[in-house]
Amino acid sequence: QVQLVESGGGLVQPGGSLRLSCVVSGGIFKIHAMAWYRLAPGKWRELVAAVTGGGATNYAEPVRGRFAISRDNDKNAVYLQMNNLKPEDTAVYYCNADITKGGRTRDDYWGKGTLVTVSS
């Protein structure tokens, strides 16, 4: 069974940094695109950053220049380095991956989320 497990969230002051990690496990044949989304109170879930299987990246405008997404294909992991954090970055961050399983079925998978709180 495919599982995505996030870690690295927490409380940080404005201007601080955090690094989120997400490790994928369980019956994987191939991981295609990977991404981070976030859900803030009173807002819709939004895409934060994504990275293709080939390493191309894209970012939401509010985080461009402050966040960096990367992946380690050997570890089946994706990371989100978040710098110069702002209170409006406060949200639950979710890892997402487009995965082909060993049985050759392809689907979209989500982690359970990790809370990031930016506050003084």
Side-chain angles (χ1 to χ4, degrees):
Q1 183 172 346
V2 174
Q3 286 189 314
L4 280 65
V5 179
E6 302 104 332
S7 62
L11 174 64
V12 63
Q13 292 186 342
S17 298
L18 283 175
R19 185 177 188 242
L20 305 184
S21 301
C22 172
V23 178
V24 184
S25 63
I28 301 161
F29 174 71
K30 184 178 178 66
I31 303 176
H32 309 282
M34 305 181 82
W36 289 95
Y37 286 76
R38 66 186 181 187
L39 181 61
K43 295 187 177 181
W44 297 102
R45 183 180 65 190
E46 65 173 343
L47 174 67
V48 176
V51 56
T52 68
T57 59
N58 70 283
Y59 297 91
E61 182 58 36
V63 308
R64 193 168 294 136
R66 299 188 296 123
F67 291 10
I69 189 170
S70 61
R71 63 189 289 169
D72 184 331
N73 293 327
D74 291 335
K75 296 181 178 179
N76 290 336
V78 63
Y79 308 98
L80 186 68
Q81 178 66 44
M82 305 185 293
N83 298 324
N84 190 21
L85 282 159
K86 303 177 181 181
E88 52 263 41
D89 295 317
T90 295
V92 178
Y93 285 71
Y94 296 90
C95 177
N96 169 267
D98 176 12
I99 297 172
T100 296
K101 293 172 59 177
R104 304 300 190 266
T105 57
R106 182 170 176 173
D107 210 340
D108 210 32
Y109 293 87
W110 293 87
K112 293 183 178 180
T114 185
L115 176 63
V116 172
T117 303
V118 184
S119 175
S120 56

